[in-house]
């Protein structure tokens, strides 16, 4: 708990080192609903800021203190966001490839003139204990964890890290969805 | 940071300059957040429609190219239609990527607004998502 207090105090000292255009009093909340918890309000920033001093990232040992470390964190977060987009598209592709079991159900339904028409239902599914489904489940768990990590990174309200998340997502979507769109064009032409 | 929903007329949302003190300011902020949530739903539908339109126009243009090429068998092969299609596809995909970045950023902004734990803002987000879905999703199947 003392660490968070230290972070709140050191944020006041780091605001002078930023080369941002934000007002230096950003770490003092001007309006707070509960004035009795003032020191707790400094634990987590609630507005966007640009800085690289004493930035805690996800885990307790991961603290950014220098510009070099922030650059490394930027690259790592960028790659993580790119990987997340690629994972999403890889899962879609795997799902499409593994959906080979197609069941046709035909049932008679009454037609307009009293004739009997056959209505055919096509269901596409997977077996539960098959390898593709287990692989999808493992990839789903990884995707959920990474999506929560990206959310927590964005929640640090650090401007550099948030830009890394957004740029990584855009670049990942651009690179991976390009190939997917071409594949979709070919395979989903004739339905 | 209070870890429960509170009804309050005071909140600081996302940026330093966005600090709300009065009921009028809160109403305006709720409206802005509502429009942001509507925009988020709209972008989701817009991306899907853009992709569909791009695929339709590209498949039409490629089939036209095939027709032209079979008509002019012995005439000089014209490489420009192929590169024009590639350029169009590249621009289309680049536009979709920008739209995706906008969707990610707006999604995170709405999440951070909910994280302020202000109940009015939360109502604005929920209402905005509902209104956005209601307005946008019929446009998805209108192809």
């Amino acid at each position: 708990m003392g660490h968070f207090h230290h972070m709140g105090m050191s944020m006041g000292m780091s605001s002078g080192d930023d080369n941002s255009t934000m007002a230096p009093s950003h770490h003092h909340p001007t309006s707070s609903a509960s004035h009795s918890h003032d020191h707790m309000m400094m634990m987590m920033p609630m507005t966007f800021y640009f800085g690289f001093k004493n930035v805690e990232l996800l885990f307790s040992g991961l603290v950014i203190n220098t510009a070099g470390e922030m650059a490394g964190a930027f690259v790592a977060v960028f790659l993580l966001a790119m990987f997340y987009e690629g994972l999403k598209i890889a899962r879609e592709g795997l799902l499409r490839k593994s959906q080979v079991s197609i069941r046709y159900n035909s049932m008679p339904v009454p037609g307009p003139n009293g004739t009997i028409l056959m209505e055919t239902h096509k269901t596409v599914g997977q077996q539960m204990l098959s390898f593709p489904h287990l692989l999808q489940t493992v990839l789903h768990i990884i995707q959920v964890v990474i999506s929560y990590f990206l959310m927590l990174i964005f929640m640090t309200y650090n401007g550099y890290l948030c830009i890394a998340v957004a740029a990584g997502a855009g670049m990942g979507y651009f690179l991976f969805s390009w190939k997917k769109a071409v594949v979709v064009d070919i395979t989903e032409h004739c339905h | 940071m209070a870890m429960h929903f509170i009804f309050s007329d005071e909140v600081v949302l996302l940026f330093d300059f966005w600090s709300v003190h009065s009921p009028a300011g809160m109403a305006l902020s709720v409206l802005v957040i509502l429009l942001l949530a509507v925009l988020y739903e709209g972008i989701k539908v817009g991306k899907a429609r853009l992709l569909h339109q791009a695929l339709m126009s590209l498949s039409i243009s490629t089939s036209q190219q095939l027709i032209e090429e079979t008509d002019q068998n012995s005439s000089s092969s014209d490489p420009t239609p192929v590169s024009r299609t590639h350029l169009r596809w590249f621009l289309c995909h680049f536009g979709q990527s920008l739209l995706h970045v906008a969707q990610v950023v707006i999604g995170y902004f709405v999440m951070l607004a909910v994280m302020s734990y202000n109940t009015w803002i939360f109502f604005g987000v929920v209402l905005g998502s509902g209104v956005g879905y209601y307005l946008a999703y019929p446009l998805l199947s209108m192809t």
Side-chain angles (χ1 to χ4, degrees):
Chain A
M1 281 301 161
H3 176 71
F4 292 112
H5 201 63
H6 170 71
M7 177 173 136
M9 291 199 314
S10 66
M11 271 180 67
M13 293 188 287
S14 71
S15 63
D17 298 328
D18 299 345
N19 32 347
S20 70
T21 53
M22 286 196 170
S25 60
H26 65 81
H27 56 279
H28 294 299
T30 52
S31 57
S32 59
S34 48
H35 294 277
S36 56
H37 299 288
D38 251 345
H39 76 282
M40 279 179 65
M41 294 288 268
M42 289 188 199
M43 264 170 57
M44 251 184 60
M46 293 302 281
T47 53
F48 286 110
Y49 71 96
F50 282 97
F52 49 82
K53 291 272 181 358
N54 207 4
V55 176
E56 246 195 4
L57 191 63
L58 288 180
F59 300 105
S60 68
L62 235 55
V63 181
I64 300 170
N65 285 312
T66 67
E69 284 176 21
M70 178 54 83
F74 185 95
V75 170
V77 168
F78 186 88
L79 293 176
L80 189 68
M82 265 186 61
F83 177 71
Y84 176 69
E85 294 293 327
L87 183 64
K88 277 202 291 190
I89 295 188
R91 276 192 68 204
E92 279 180 41
L94 277 176
L95 191 66
R96 196 172 300 137
K97 268 198 288 193
S98 71
Q99 277 174 349
V100 290
S101 70
I102 299 175
R103 287 192 304 274
Y104 286 93
N105 294 341
S106 297
M107 1 188 277
V109 291
N113 294 334
T115 57
I116 303 286
L117 301 173
M118 290 298 280
E119 191 178 281
T120 305
H121 293 265
K122 182 173 104 168
T123 49
V124 186
Q126 274 183 330
Q127 285 186 316
M128 273 190 74
L129 289 180
S130 62
F131 175 70
H133 188 56
L134 289 175
L135 182 65
Q136 280 283 331
T137 308
V138 169
L139 291 180
H140 180 76
I141 293 173
I142 296 175
Q143 186 181 328
V144 163
V145 168
I146 293 183
S147 77
Y148 275 122
F149 277 3
L150 289 174
M151 177 197 69
L152 289 170
I153 289 172
F154 212 95
M155 246 172 66
T156 63
Y157 270 106
N158 188 298
Y160 300 123
L161 297 178
C162 294
I163 288 175
V165 170
M171 180 65 80
Y173 178 86
F174 182 74
L175 292 178
F176 293 112
S177 188
W178 174 285
K179 204 179 103 161
K180 168 209 164 197
V182 171
V183 169
V184 161
D185 182 30
I186 292 174
T187 58
E188 299 207 328
H189 235 311
C190 33
H191 258 86
Chain B
M1 192 175 93
M3 296 297 279
H4 49 269
F5 281 108
I6 50 173
F7 280 99
S8 167
D9 282 340
E10 292 187 345
V11 76
V12 180
L13 276 177
L14 294 175
F15 300 101
D16 297 328
F17 53 81
W18 197 350
S19 76
V20 184
H21 302 285
S22 62
M26 177 55 77
L28 191 65
S29 297
V30 169
L31 189 65
V32 171
I33 293 290
L34 198 144
L35 293 176
L36 211 62
V38 169
L39 185 66
Y40 178 71
E41 299 290 331
I43 285 183
K44 280 203 289 188
V45 168
K47 243 189 8 175
R49 277 197 63 140
L50 212 64
L51 183 67
H52 190 95
Q53 277 176 4
L55 287 176
M56 296 293 281
S57 67
L58 271 168
S59 59
I60 288 172
S61 63
T62 45
S63 55
Q64 274 179 351
Q65 277 174 41
L66 282 171
I67 293 172
E68 284 169 18
E69 278 168 22
T70 51
D71 281 347
Q72 344 163 345
N73 272 341
S74 56
S75 56
S76 59
S77 60
D78 197 1
T80 47
V82 177
S83 59
R84 195 169 55 219
T85 309
H86 279 182
L87 181 68
R88 272 185 61 195
W89 170 245
F90 177 81
L91 288 177
C92 222
H93 195 65
F94 189 72
Q96 277 171 50
S97 298
L98 290 182
L99 217 58
H100 183 76
V101 171
Q103 183 189 328
V104 163
V105 169
I106 291 180
Y108 277 123
F109 277 7
V110 169
M111 183 265 299
L112 290 174
V114 172
M115 225 178 73
S116 68
Y117 263 111
N118 190 297
T119 322
W120 300 120
I121 301 289
F122 183 64
F123 284 165
V125 167
V126 171
L127 211 62
S129 298
V131 167
Y133 180 88
Y134 182 72
L135 294 177
Y137 269 75
L139 301 175
L140 191 64
S141 49
M142 238 176 55
T143 45

